[in-house]
Amino acid sequence: WMPVGTGDDWYRAINWGQNDRRGRFWLATSEDVRVFDGQRWTVYHPEDMGMRPPENEELIHDFHLRAMQETGWVWAGACEWAGPGPVGGRGVRWFDGKTWQGTDSLVSSGCAMAIEEDPSGRVWLGLQAVVWRYDPASGDWARFAPPDDPPDENERWRYGAVTDITLDAAGDPWVTILLCGGASCDTEVL
């Protein structure tokens, strides 16, 4: 074992880690995104990524990330949680190797937890309960609305957020959406 980070700023929940195609190791924590280049760590706080600072420190904050193989870009999404489930977020940004992009994109705000790349290099994102697809070659965005809310005679269930996007062999997405109702979320539907 070898410690890679020390100090109070390392006492955070680690949500995700992944290598990019340049061999750097990226971490998503509860409060920031970090990258290790083999020599040193660089920490990107929300403001560094063009995101607003947390408005409410009482909320649970999460960052999620995905290093893309086709473009080499690293995408990061942020979600904020309270008792009834996801209550918003700071959207999605992507690092193009030099700077963070996406402050004025269609996905610049909202709860973002699912990020995936298909075989042609398109990026699939879950933002709230909506799925977005971005084509880096054309710069085009496509929006896929969720199905109607689940039938419930008490009208208590709602879709909270997309938690996972898995692509099958044909590149088609299979989406998992958090089902929320009452004071919390505890069921996911596909």
Side-chain angles (χ1 to χ4, degrees):
W1 291 94
M2 180 180 80
V4 294
T6 59
D8 290 341
D9 69 330
W10 278 92
Y11 292 102
R12 300 185 178 351
I14 304 294
N15 299 325
W16 189 258
Q18 185 180 16
N19 287 325
D20 66 15
R21 71 180 195 184
R22 291 178 45 193
R24 298 173 297 185
F25 183 70
W26 292 79
L27 281 178
T29 79
S30 57
E31 297 183 30
D32 52 43
V33 172
R34 298 164 185 230
V35 61
F36 185 66
D37 65 6
Q39 300 292 320
R40 67 181 178 87
W41 285 97
T42 300
V43 178
Y44 294 105
H45 299 282
E47 298 85 354
D48 300 326
M49 295 183 277
M51 295 179 174
R52 63 173 168 72
E55 292 176 9
N56 184 342
E57 292 296 330
E58 300 297 317
L59 298 176
I60 298 169
H61 306 276
D62 277 334
F63 278 93
H64 302 269
L65 64 87
R66 175 76 63 190
M68 302 303 168
Q69 295 306 307
E70 288 296 316
T71 61
W73 297 350
V74 176
W75 290 67
C79 189
E80 296 170 342
W81 296 79
V87 294
R90 293 173 266 182
V92 178
R93 303 291 188 274
W94 55 97
F95 187 73
D96 66 5
K98 296 179 184 172
T99 61
W100 287 96
Q101 304 291 323
T103 57
D104 58 354
S105 73
L106 296 171
V107 294
S108 64
S109 67
C111 174
M113 297 178 7
I115 306 168
E116 191 56 68
E117 179 183 33
D118 71 19
S120 66
R122 295 178 303 183
V123 179
W124 293 82
L125 308 167
L127 188 71
Q128 302 295 114
V130 174
V131 172
W132 289 87
R133 186 186 64 214
Y134 177 71
D135 185 343
S138 67
D140 292 335
W141 290 93
R143 181 183 189 274
F144 303 91
D148 292 335
D149 281 337
D152 182 357
E153 60 194 44
N154 297 325
E155 296 184 23
R156 63 182 180 148
W157 294 109
R158 64 179 170 78
Y159 293 122
V162 173
T163 59
D164 188 45
I165 299 172
T166 301
L167 301 169
D168 64 20
D172 294 323
W174 290 78
V175 178
T176 306
I177 301 176
L178 195 61
L179 190 59
C180 302
S184 65
C185 302
D186 65 355
T187 304
E188 293 181 299
V189 295
L190 185 62

